[in-house]
Amino acid sequence: MEDKNIIQLYFERSEAAISETAVKYGKLCHTIAYNILYNEEDSEECVNDTWLRAWNTIPPNRPDILRTYLAHIIRNLALSRYRRDHAEKRSHAPDSPLHELAECLPDPEGSPAEAASMAELRQTLNAFVAGLEE
């Protein structure tokens, strides 16, 4: 189906517009998203979001070249997803070079059971010392 006909389907608010768009440009959009994200599920989600964005924006807009219009949408969605997933605060990058050794070093507090046991022992010793005469 030609782009003019697909765009006309969008203007008629026909759901066939989405299926025709997916048939003609689904592989292209998936490739663009996958080349940015390198994740199959995220790429598929971006493709679906592209169809929704096209559905919501085409009636006011009439793109001259549908392929370019869709490529622009999916590229922006994939880049936004990439930035969100790789933001510094969400990144799993180590804070320092010693971060890698954290698993090898013993925990100064010990296990939770040991910490509870130590707290109980501390409380018992403090109670005993408090009961002693000066």
Side-chain angles (χ1 to χ4, degrees):
M1 182 174 270
E2 289 190 33
D3 289 353
K4 290 183 228 176
N5 298 340
I6 295 173
I7 292 170
Q8 186 58 39
L9 289 174
Y10 278 105
F11 273 89
E12 294 169 1
R13 304 311 283 166
S14 171
E15 292 181 14
I18 295 173
S19 60
E20 291 295 330
T21 305
V23 167
K24 189 166 184 181
Y25 294 111
K27 189 172 181 178
L28 169 73
C29 290
H30 184 272
T31 301
I32 292 170
Y34 189 80
N35 285 339
I36 293 171
L37 300 170
Y38 295 107
N39 183 306
E40 199 67 40
E41 292 83 19
D42 288 347
S43 299
E44 192 61 39
E45 191 172 327
C46 283
V47 169
N48 291 331
D49 289 346
T50 300
W51 306 153
L52 177 64
R53 181 84 48 98
W55 180 263
N56 290 334
T57 59
I58 285 186
N61 299 328
R62 185 177 286 275
D64 294 329
I65 304 170
L66 185 59
R67 175 187 176 112
T68 306
Y69 188 78
L70 295 172
H72 178 78
I73 291 172
I74 190 118
R75 178 183 165 272
N76 288 338
L77 288 171
L79 287 172
S80 293
R81 169 69 57 102
Y82 180 85
R83 287 183 193 114
R84 187 195 76 194
D85 291 348
H86 292 85
E88 186 175 338
K89 65 181 180 180
R90 291 185 185 96
S91 171
H92 298 296
D95 295 334
S96 69
L98 297 177
H99 179 74
E100 295 176 3
L101 298 175
E103 294 177 9
C104 302
L105 300 174
D107 188 6
E109 297 294 320
S111 69
E114 290 173 349
S117 176
M118 290 300 292
E120 186 179 335
L121 179 61
R122 188 178 304 115
Q123 185 180 18
T124 303
L125 286 174
N126 286 339
F128 173 74
V129 172
L132 292 176
E133 294 179 15
E134 287 188 40

